[in-house]
Amino acid sequence: MPAATIDIRTELRTAPLRPFHWLLVLLVALATLFDGYDTFIPSYMIHFVVKPWHLSGGATGFLVSSALIGFAVGSLVHGVVADRIGRRPTLIAGLLIAGVFSVLTGLFGTTFPAFVTLRAVTGLGLGVLLPLGTAYVNEYLPERVHNRLTVLGGTGFALGGVLAAVLGVALTEGGHWESLFYVGGAAAVLGVIYLAVFPESVEFLVAGGKQEQAVRLLSRLRPDRAPSYREHGLSVDRQPRDWRLVLAPRFRTRTVALWVSSFLLLFGVYGLSTWTPQLMIARGETFATGYTFGAVLQGMSIVGALLGGLVADRYLGARRSLMLWCGLGAVATLVVAVGGSTAVNIVAIGFAGLFIIGGQFLLNNICAATYPVQARATGEGAMLGFGRVGGILGPSIGGALLSAFGGSAVLFVAVAVAAVLAVVSTSFVLVRHQAPRRAVPAAPREEMEH
């Protein structure tokens, strides 16, 4: 390889937006769709198993959040695995594990202990998809649109939540909740398809000495530069992974703030997603209408993620946009707590999804932009791994509060308090400034570093 090489990060950061970028966003969105679907389908089986399995409010919440135990482990360790064997095989393995064990849950998860055990293993695969997908697509996207398009890739998670709500009504008639998990097995089919269509990270290829594959991929993003890539070669200043970097003095405050914010937001996300359909039914809504609330909650989060990305890119910046989203989410959930007509409740639930669940997508992107590339996957995984503790506690504490206080208002008040606290914690997250750079001609690496 010639000594004069081209820095791929500059090339990726300054590339014009092309159809290949959209393809990558779509591939990540499809993967995270199964993440969201498989995560939320237990919410739509509660109605059928609480009495047969003799579950308390806390146990019912744990039924939903049990997958998050494996999810936390998968989030924490996937970065090391992805750096060793590649982003592509790690994400595909996550899809295969999630799909296979989703089917096994439908077949054999017919008691509470068996169900939560199988769900914990399923979570090992699910825990890979969102953090790795977010970090992966961040590596490819031009800087000027990375907030909007990264959250667009992550909105597959919310679409999966909508699909869970729709199929929760359509497939469970007569109590056949197992069919929901059979549908989740399609994640394994997607994993097999991705063996043929999902590309590896360009940075990983260059770091591994696979120049020909890297040039071929990068040329799809910048075909006008392909001759220069072949002539000069590609390089990346890849520093060794060190998990301690996210806790180094210069990142420590931001890291703790990210972890706390994720804990609080996921407490709200899973608390709302788990209990909203059941609480609306308890307020007198029909079975189908109660599940419609769940679909609206997840569907509006897509609007919140995309709108938040636009506001972050063009107006307020990512941190202030997230603070605004958390504050408005607290207001929306308090409106639900007070209660009102079906129309008022469904509008308020929609805004709660828009701001609170949509805010989590913004936080994922903030995390990816906070750390340098050698710590990005580790930082994203660590934040979501810690945050999933909030996701585990949200349904369980929500169930315990409902059992202790009765009614439905207490859950929504708890979520509102968590959202207000998230405003405070997010104020300590200062995203690394990355000034856009102009595209440079093929030049020696030494010239580009000075």
Side-chain angles (χ1 to χ4, degrees):
M1 186 179 68
T5 55
I6 299 173
D7 179 47
I8 62 170
R9 289 181 190 151
T10 300
E11 297 297 304
L12 292 168
R13 199 163 44 234
T14 60
L17 191 61
R18 293 192 178 274
F20 188 53
H21 287 114
W22 290 104
L23 173 63
L24 297 176
V25 170
L26 175 62
L27 293 175
V28 169
L30 286 174
T32 58
L33 182 146
F34 283 98
D35 186 356
Y37 173 80
D38 215 316
T39 297
F40 290 123
I41 48 176
S43 301
Y44 302 98
M45 61 173 283
I46 290 175
H47 181 77
F48 304 104
V49 301
V50 168
K51 290 182 178 178
W53 291 359
H54 308 291
L55 302 179
S56 65
T60 302
F62 187 66
L63 182 83
V64 177
S65 61
S66 54
L68 299 183
I69 299 171
F71 200 120
V73 176
S75 295
L76 290 170
V77 305
H78 84 278
V80 176
V81 176
D83 259 11
R84 178 161 303 214
I85 68 172
R87 278 72 164 139
R88 177 179 176 272
T90 304
L91 186 128
I92 290 171
L95 286 168
L96 294 174
I97 292 170
V100 169
F101 278 91
S102 182
V103 173
L104 292 176
T105 301
L107 291 172
F108 303 111
T110 53
T111 64
F112 181 74
F115 182 87
V116 298
T117 300
L118 287 166
R119 290 296 294 164
V121 179
T122 306
L124 291 172
L126 296 177
V128 170
L129 304 181
L130 186 58
L132 181 57
T134 301
Y136 170 89
V137 81
N138 253 282
E139 291 182 9
Y140 268 106
L141 291 176
E143 183 148 359
R144 62 188 176 84
V145 295
H146 82 273
N147 276 310
R148 281 167 283 177
L149 293 193
T150 299
V151 297
L152 183 60
T155 54
F157 185 88
L159 283 172
V162 174
L163 183 63
V166 172
L167 296 184
V169 175
L171 298 182
T172 59
E173 186 177 357
H176 301 299
W177 55 265
E178 298 90 346
S179 58
L180 295 173
F181 294 90
Y182 300 149
V183 173
V189 177
L190 187 68
V192 173
I193 294 172
Y194 275 21
L195 289 170
V197 301
F198 194 82
E200 183 55 86
S201 159
V202 175
E203 291 191 19
F204 181 83
L205 291 172
V206 173
K210 299 178 180 179
Q211 282 281 322
E212 184 177 343
Q213 294 179 44
V215 167
R216 189 161 56 245
L217 274 175
L218 195 55
S219 297
R220 295 181 66 179
L221 295 173
R222 307 195 71 160
D224 57 312
R225 303 272 287 158
S228 296
Y229 300 152
R230 295 189 180 93
E231 178 183 354
H232 293 275
L234 301 171
S235 66
V236 59
D237 182 17
R238 186 174 177 84
Q239 301 181 33
R241 173 182 293 278
D242 183 355
W243 65 268
R244 294 170 295 183
L245 182 62
V246 299
L247 292 175
R250 63 190 174 116
F251 291 114
R252 191 174 297 147
T253 298
R254 283 174 278 184
T255 292
V256 173
L258 285 167
W259 290 6
V260 172
S261 298
S262 183
F263 178 98
L264 293 166
L265 282 172
L266 288 175
F267 177 93
V269 168
Y270 285 96
L272 288 173
S273 299
T274 299
W275 289 109
T276 293
Q278 306 305 316
L279 294 179
M280 291 301 132
I281 292 171
R283 285 186 178 185
E285 303 291 351
T286 65
F287 181 81
T289 303
Y291 279 25
T292 299
F293 274 89
V296 170
L297 179 74
Q298 300 297 332
M300 287 300 291
S301 71
I302 301 171
V303 178
L306 297 177
L307 182 60
L310 179 64
V311 171
D313 275 337
R314 292 191 176 180
Y315 303 108
L316 297 180
R319 180 173 65 97
R320 285 181 292 177
S321 297
L322 180 55
M323 292 172 67
L324 176 63
W325 256 227
C326 292
L328 294 175
V331 173
T333 51
L334 287 175
V335 171
V336 182
V338 172
S341 66
T342 299
V344 169
N345 283 334
I346 205 162
V347 169
I349 282 292
F351 279 113
L354 188 153
F355 293 118
I356 292 179
I357 306 180
Q360 176 62 41
F361 293 122
L362 283 177
L363 183 64
N364 293 341
N365 198 44
I366 289 172
C367 182
T370 295
Y371 302 108
V373 68
Q374 70 269 21
R376 187 168 295 153
T378 297
E380 191 82 33
M383 182 196 76
L384 285 173
F386 185 84
R388 294 300 161 181
V389 178
I392 293 168
L393 294 178
S396 299
I397 291 178
L401 289 173
L402 291 168
S403 297
F405 293 95
S408 59
V410 64
L411 176 94
F412 298 110
V413 171
V415 171
V417 170
V420 170
L421 293 175
V423 175
V424 178
S425 61
T426 301
S427 68
F428 290 93
V429 180
L430 298 175
V431 180
R432 246 178 359 116
H433 178 66
Q434 294 177 316
R437 300 182 188 179
R438 297 178 59 188
V440 295
R445 182 177 171 187
E446 292 82 3
E447 292 181 16
M448 291 190 290
E449 290 177 341
H450 290 84

